[in-house]
Amino acid sequence: MQNLWTKNFTIITIGSAISMLGNMVAGFAIGLLVLEKTDSTFLYSLFMVFYNMPKVIAPIMAGPIVDRFSRRKIIYTLDFTSATIYLFMFLVLNADFFNFFALLAVCIVIGSIDGIYTVAYESFYPNLITAGNFRKAYSISSMLMPLASFMTPVASMVYDLLGTLAPLFLFNAVTFFIAAVCETQIKHKEEGREGKISSGAKHYIEDFRKGLEYIKGEKALIVITSYFFVCNMAGGVMNTLLLPFFKNNAQLFSHVPINVITLYTLITTTGLMGRFTGGLIHYKFKYPAEKKFLIAICVYFACSICDGFKLWLPVPVMFVVFFFVGIISVTSFNIRISATQSYVPDTVRGRFNGTFQMITTMGTLTGQIVAGSLGEFLPERTILIGMMVINVTAIYLIMFRHRNEVKPLYNRDV
């Protein structure tokens, strides 16, 4: 087994960690900005829908481009662009200007950038992993976001102290700029990806068609993608309802000596720290290859049950459950992503990732629409239980019943 920590892998890990600091603050700041200005669960969910809508189209359209052009250049160009956008948002908010529809338009642009960036990054990242180190590399990757999660409570405290979200957007601009500079230092030869735009346009449709043909011929990938549509739909419901639940039910937490927004950030950060712990465990300990599918199925069931009931629990127990779900969920994530990314050929990886991102984002988008629509009339906890029942059903009907297709893909030593 070769050394994982090559210069290129180290650089992309540092750049990714820095950009995640900005992403963590950006997601919190924009969401809270909308909720505070509109005081509407529906408009809050509408913002999330508009942010994620471009992620349905952009990834699958970007797939053939990512497979033909330099993924490294795409990654750092998009990070430089994000830095510019967040600097503009800082200047606008610092002038005390807010327009909901203008923010929606900006969110569409940011969502498009994120959709393309994810496909490019996930397709480029495996090329920087040395042989036999996929499990460790994705364990490290899964720990970056939890490490960055400490920025959410920090952002909340900054907001409480200053009474404005504008400085947070300046922080975003700086982090994305630094990340982009780091990414320009990666020295990896991308064979066959230095073509001109005209050449890419000429072959785009043919590349697109070949990518779809490859995916259609891989039953295991179809099963996994189908389940994660439902899984992301459940996640879309949960993530949309969490902040409104705490904000709309402050009386349930009157005994807690902190405001509900800070409580929300601390609890969700606890979940992310669980993910960090799970990633560390997965890095240190190697699960038996022949048991990976069984482990993943058990985790899917356990996460669904915990997610359905965790908002009914006392606050101390809620912290424990969020932490536990974080630990086990990162295990299934590592099993799935290391298996698929090491299996799919590099020549079509962008198109697979684009298709996967499109379909799973459609799931997230559906969940956000459901949450926003029902959240105006039904209690958040009731909606969440109903969604998790659907998710548990999908685990059985999609993943477990098609285990013979998925097992050979999951149960590999990578």
Side-chain angles (χ1 to χ4, degrees):
M1 184 181 294
Q2 301 177 42
N3 179 30
L4 172 62
W5 291 100
T6 61
K7 181 179 179 181
N8 285 335
F9 183 78
T10 302
I11 292 173
I12 199 168
T13 301
I14 293 172
S16 180
I18 294 172
S19 66
M20 281 186 184
L21 293 176
N23 268 325
M24 195 65 63
V25 173
F28 169 78
I30 297 177
L32 184 58
L33 178 65
V34 173
L35 199 57
E36 287 289 324
K37 294 291 186 179
T38 65
D39 198 30
S40 168
T41 300
F42 174 75
L43 291 179
Y44 172 68
S45 66
L46 183 65
F47 143 74
M48 297 185 74
V49 167
F50 269 75
Y51 170 71
N52 284 303
M53 193 179 297
K55 296 182 182 181
V56 174
I57 301 173
I60 195 169
M61 299 301 292
I65 298 174
V66 166
D67 281 338
R68 185 169 289 274
F69 294 100
S70 170
R71 295 162 180 170
R72 180 182 70 94
K73 291 180 180 179
I74 293 173
I75 288 169
Y76 69 67
T77 299
L78 291 176
D79 270 345
F80 276 128
T81 304
S82 294
T84 303
I85 291 173
Y86 286 120
L87 178 60
F88 174 76
M89 292 182 70
F90 161 71
L91 296 174
V92 169
L93 288 175
N94 202 45
D96 200 27
F97 174 82
F98 174 82
N99 182 282
F100 180 76
F101 295 102
L103 184 60
L104 282 183
V106 172
C107 286
I108 291 174
V109 176
I110 294 174
S112 299
I113 290 174
D114 287 352
I116 299 169
Y117 181 93
T118 300
V119 176
Y121 180 86
E122 290 189 355
S123 302
F124 184 53
Y125 186 72
N127 294 335
L128 306 183
I129 302 172
T130 52
N133 283 304
F134 274 80
R135 173 183 60 86
K136 286 189 173 183
Y138 282 106
S139 296
I140 293 167
S141 178
S142 67
M143 288 188 283
L144 296 181
M145 186 173 68
L147 280 175
S149 67
F150 78 91
M151 287 306 304
T152 305
V154 170
S156 176
M157 288 185 285
V158 170
Y159 173 62
D160 284 340
L161 180 65
L162 301 180
T164 175
L165 292 165
L168 300 181
F169 290 101
L170 179 60
F171 175 82
N172 296 340
V174 172
T175 54
F176 278 104
F177 179 81
I178 295 174
V181 171
C182 287
E183 289 153 356
T184 62
Q185 302 307 303
I186 297 173
K187 307 299 182 185
H188 176 76
K189 181 65 175 177
E190 298 182 87
E191 298 291 343
R193 293 200 174 85
E194 299 296 334
K196 297 180 179 179
I197 295 296
S198 58
S199 174
K202 179 180 178 181
H203 297 284
Y204 180 87
I205 296 176
E206 181 64 16
D207 287 349
F208 188 88
R209 183 185 63 80
K210 287 181 179 179
L212 291 181
E213 285 181 354
Y214 167 77
I215 295 169
K216 286 168 61 178
E218 295 288 342
K219 292 183 179 179
L221 296 179
I222 293 174
V223 172
I224 293 169
T225 304
S226 299
Y227 167 65
F228 275 92
F229 169 84
V230 182
C231 180
N232 277 34
M233 182 167 63
V237 170
M238 181 180 65
N239 292 330
T240 301
L241 293 178
L242 277 181
L243 182 54
F245 169 75
F246 282 92
K247 193 171 183 297
N248 296 337
N249 296 276
Q251 72 280 359
L252 296 176
F253 309 103
S254 58
H255 61 289
V256 181
I258 55 176
N259 68 66
V260 291
I261 301 299
T262 301
L263 177 63
Y264 158 79
T265 61
L266 290 175
I267 286 179
T268 52
T269 300
T270 299
L272 290 170
M273 294 313 297
R275 291 183 65 87
F276 174 81
T277 304
L280 186 61
I281 293 171
H282 205 72
Y283 182 85
K284 291 290 186 181
F285 299 98
K286 186 176 181 180
Y287 295 103
E290 69 277 8
K291 299 292 184 183
K292 285 184 178 180
F293 178 78
L294 176 61
I295 293 171
I297 283 288
C298 291
V299 168
Y300 298 154
F301 276 115
C303 286
S304 297
I305 294 170
C306 290
D307 286 342
F309 291 98
K310 63 188 179 184
L311 295 184
W312 296 83
L313 303 172
V315 170
V317 182
M318 197 181 293
F319 271 98
V320 173
V321 172
F322 268 78
F323 185 75
F324 172 73
V325 170
I327 289 178
I328 63 174
S329 63
V330 81
T331 299
S332 65
F333 165 80
N334 285 348
I335 291 173
R336 190 264 303 172
I337 197 166
S338 62
T340 55
Q341 296 302 307
S342 62
Y343 175 79
V344 177
D346 182 54
T347 53
V348 293
R349 191 180 293 136
R351 280 161 284 184
F352 166 70
N353 287 334
T355 302
F356 183 85
Q357 290 297 328
M358 180 198 72
I359 292 174
T360 55
T361 301
M362 286 177 63
T364 301
L365 198 60
T366 303
Q368 290 168 344
I369 293 172
V370 169
S373 301
L374 297 181
E376 295 287 316
F377 310 102
L378 296 175
E380 293 89 353
R381 295 187 290 194
T382 302
I383 300 170
L384 198 52
I385 287 179
M387 188 63 245
M388 292 308 158
V389 169
I390 294 174
N391 195 33
V392 167
T393 304
I395 295 169
Y396 174 75
L397 293 179
I398 300 175
M399 288 294 286
F400 185 75
R401 290 187 65 181
H402 295 91
R403 57 191 178 279
N404 291 336
E405 285 84 11
V406 181
K407 268 186 177 181
L409 180 59
Y410 272 22
N411 292 353
R412 293 183 301 119
D413 190 8
V414 296

